[in-house]
Amino acid sequence: MENVNFTPKEILQKQFRQKMRGYDPDDVDSFLDNVIKDYDTFVKENQRLQEENERLLAKVDELTKQIQVGGSQPQAASTNQPSSNVTNMDILKRLSNLERHVFGSQLDNDPNESHRL
């Protein structure tokens, strides 16, 4: 608002000199009343937009911080998924070997070989 020349109050209080062949004072007053209303509306809208801009900038800062803090977590989760699959496969193999060791030849002679990996 640094480049604003007049406030609504200054426009309202402005007095013009009258000359013999000047404008109709009632027309000028009516026009200036409308200018004041518009000017006041623009000032309020400008303030609302500035507040919204500040709110949005704060939200951007907040989200940026969340991304920086939590940015590494989704990557870690995505990299853990394949390793957990490998770990699950290792567990299944170990379990199969343990069953073979505990039950010995009973499993080796079983015609149903679906238990082997």
Side-chain angles (χ1 to χ4, degrees):
M1 301 291 297
E2 299 168 1
N3 298 331
V4 175
N5 294 320
F6 302 106
T7 65
K9 186 177 180 180
E10 290 171 336
I11 295 171
L12 178 63
Q13 295 175 347
K14 176 66 177 165
Q15 295 293 321
F16 295 94
R17 295 176 292 182
Q18 292 185 358
K19 293 192 175 188
M20 186 180 241
R21 294 186 182 190
Y23 295 107
D24 181 15
D26 292 334
D27 284 345
V28 172
D29 286 343
S30 176
F31 178 77
L32 287 178
D33 286 342
N34 290 331
V35 169
I36 290 170
K37 288 177 187 175
D38 287 348
Y39 195 87
D40 196 35
T41 301
F42 288 131
V43 167
K44 288 178 183 176
E45 179 68 8
N46 188 23
Q47 288 173 344
R48 186 191 69 78
L49 290 172
Q50 285 177 346
E51 290 170 1
E52 182 180 5
N53 188 36
E54 290 173 7
R55 181 184 61 81
L56 292 172
L57 287 173
K59 185 69 172 178
V60 166
D61 288 342
E62 178 185 333
L63 293 173
T64 302
K65 288 177 185 176
Q66 287 178 3
I67 288 173
Q68 290 172 349
V69 170
S72 62
Q73 291 174 353
Q75 287 179 340
S78 65
T79 57
N80 284 344
Q81 185 64 26
S83 65
S84 68
N85 285 342
V86 171
T87 304
N88 289 342
M89 186 61 118
D90 288 340
I91 290 171
L92 290 173
K93 286 179 181 179
R94 289 177 187 169
L95 184 60
S96 177
N97 289 336
L98 181 62
E99 287 175 342
R100 197 172 298 122
H101 178 60
V102 169
F103 295 107
S105 63
Q106 292 175 353
L107 290 177
D108 290 335
N109 295 332
D110 188 8
N112 183 7
E113 295 188 17
S114 62
H115 63 278
R116 293 186 183 180
L117 292 177

